[in-house]
């Protein structure tokens, strides 16, 4: 039997993506500098299978897929070896691009319950070198470890909202934090006053997807949903979420940046948002923050 050894090749190269036919296959995210220079540096990873008998190395293909703005571009093909883009590396690169321009400002994640604020927040804090805080957890700690559900039951929602504002006020005095806020934090103008000291990011998730997530894990820890007890779990959650959305939808739009999971799914070619990874959402969050920072700089230059 002929002996074969697999070798891994990694080679950075510059690609002028306008020279290649535009076909749809995956995605690569471009920094502003890359877009302006009309080229992209890609780290290509390929596996080469040498033929020991002929003492020669050969490989059949390298495939790189890129997405720029609304079109897909640059598919290099010659066989069966592919180099998928590593989400973790894209996340790291994007964080390194924008971190210096954040100037230590905190990032406040807002959105409906179940939108993934805690999960995405921990990813962002880790990659930016920030500390992470969950407002609900801090509120629980301030009431001797009483759970949010018990706080609502014992003291009412008004008490909880006051504690929430106290927590946000204290956090607003700090720097280099990623903060996961409660779903209703956006309903109090004073909370926005504190969050405006940093950058607010809205995780915009379709209500149907939120209802599916919440129905799967139950509503025991979510007092504003646990009130419903008739019908199936999904319908209950969707109905209550729809009511909350009517009350809060416009308030979420006050955020500095919006991360639409539906837009991410379209961009990455997914049929629905349920297949998106938290890392992909975190990457989009960084891109939207980058867009906000650019607008902020443009306004400063224009003298606004």
């Amino acid at each position: 039997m002929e002996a074969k050894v697999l070798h891994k090749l990694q080679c950075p190269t510059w690609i002028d993506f306008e020279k290649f036919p535009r076909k749809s296959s995956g995605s690569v995210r471009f920094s502003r500098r890359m877009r302006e220079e009309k080229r992209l540096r890609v780290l290509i990873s390929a596996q080469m299978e040498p033929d020991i008998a002929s003492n020669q190395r050969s490989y059949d293909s390298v495939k790189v897929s890129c997405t720029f703005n609304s079109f897909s571009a640059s598919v290099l093909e010659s066989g069966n070896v592919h180099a998928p883009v590593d989400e973790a590396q894209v996340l790291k690169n994007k964080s390194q691009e924008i971190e210096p321009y954040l100037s230590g400002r905190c990032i406040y994640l807002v959105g409906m319950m179940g939108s993934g604020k805690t999960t995405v927040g921990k990813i962002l804090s880790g990659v930016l070198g920030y500390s992470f805080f969950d407002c609900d957890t801090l509120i629980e700690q301030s009431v001797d470890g009483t759970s949010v559900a018990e706080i609502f039951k014992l003291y009412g929602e008004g008490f909880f909202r006051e504690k929430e504002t106290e927590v946000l006020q204290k956090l607003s005095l700090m720097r280099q934090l990623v903060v996961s806020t409660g779903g209703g934090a956006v309903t109090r103008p004073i909370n926005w006053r504190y969050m405006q000291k940093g950058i607010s990011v809205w995780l915009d998730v379709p209500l149907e997807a939120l209802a599916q997530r919440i129905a799967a894990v139950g509503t025991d820890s979510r007092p504003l949903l646990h009130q419903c007890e008739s019908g199936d779990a999904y319908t209950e959650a969707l109905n209550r979420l729809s009511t909350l959305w009517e009350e809060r939808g416009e308030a979420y739009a006050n955020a500095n940046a919006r991360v639409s999971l539906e837009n991410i799914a379209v961009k990455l070619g997914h049929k629905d948002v349920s297949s998106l990874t938290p890392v992909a959402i975190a990457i989009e969050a960084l891109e939207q923050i980058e867009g906000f920072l650019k607008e902020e700089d443009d306004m400063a230059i224009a003298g606004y």
Side-chain angles (χ1 to χ4, degrees), residues 116-294:
K117 298 184 294 290
T118 297
T119 301
V120 174
K122 289 179 178 179
I123 293 172
L124 291 174
S125 65
V127 76
L128 291 170
Y130 278 27
S131 298
F132 174 78
F133 285 102
D134 183 290
C135 280
D136 285 355
T137 300
L138 294 177
I139 294 169
E140 290 174 340
Q141 291 173 357
S142 73
V143 191
D144 300 321
T146 307
S147 70
V148 170
E150 283 298 306
I151 292 173
F152 268 75
K153 182 178 179 180
L154 295 173
Y155 306 108
E157 183 177 356
F159 176 86
F160 176 84
R161 295 301 171 201
E162 288 294 334
K163 288 293 183 181
E164 186 172 54
T165 296
E166 290 176 13
V167 165
L168 286 170
Q169 188 273 332
K170 293 175 181 177
L171 293 175
S172 71
L173 302 176
M174 304 171 71
R175 295 171 62 79
Q176 294 187 319
L177 306 179
V178 175
V179 179
S180 171
T181 68
V186 298
T187 60
R188 305 190 82 186
I190 191 172
N191 292 343
W192 283 109
R193 189 184 311 166
Y194 295 134
M195 290 191 288
Q196 283 170 357
K197 295 182 180 181
I199 300 172
S200 52
V201 180
W202 170 26
L203 300 187
D204 183 8
V205 184
L207 296 184
E208 294 79 8
L210 291 176
Q212 289 174 351
R213 294 179 185 179
I214 293 170
V217 300
T219 61
D220 289 349
S221 63
R222 304 182 185 281
L224 292 182
L225 293 183
H226 197 48
Q227 302 167 4
C228 306
E229 296 182 355
S230 61
D232 66 277
Y234 171 79
T235 301
E236 289 177 0
L238 183 59
N239 289 341
R240 183 56 181 151
L241 286 169
S242 297
T243 299
L244 291 173
W245 173 255
E246 291 297 322
E247 300 171 359
R248 303 172 178 176
E250 291 184 4
Y252 290 128
N254 290 324
N256 299 129
R258 171 176 173 256
V259 176
S260 166
L261 268 65
E262 288 184 327
N263 289 348
I264 303 173
V266 170
K267 186 188 302 184
L268 299 182
H270 293 281
K271 292 183 178 179
D272 57 61
V273 303
S274 62
S275 58
L276 296 176
T277 66
V279 172
I281 298 169
I283 291 170
E284 181 70 12
L286 291 175
E287 291 188 342
Q288 295 302 321
I289 291 171
E290 181 182 40
F292 166 72
L293 291 172
K294 182 182 182 301

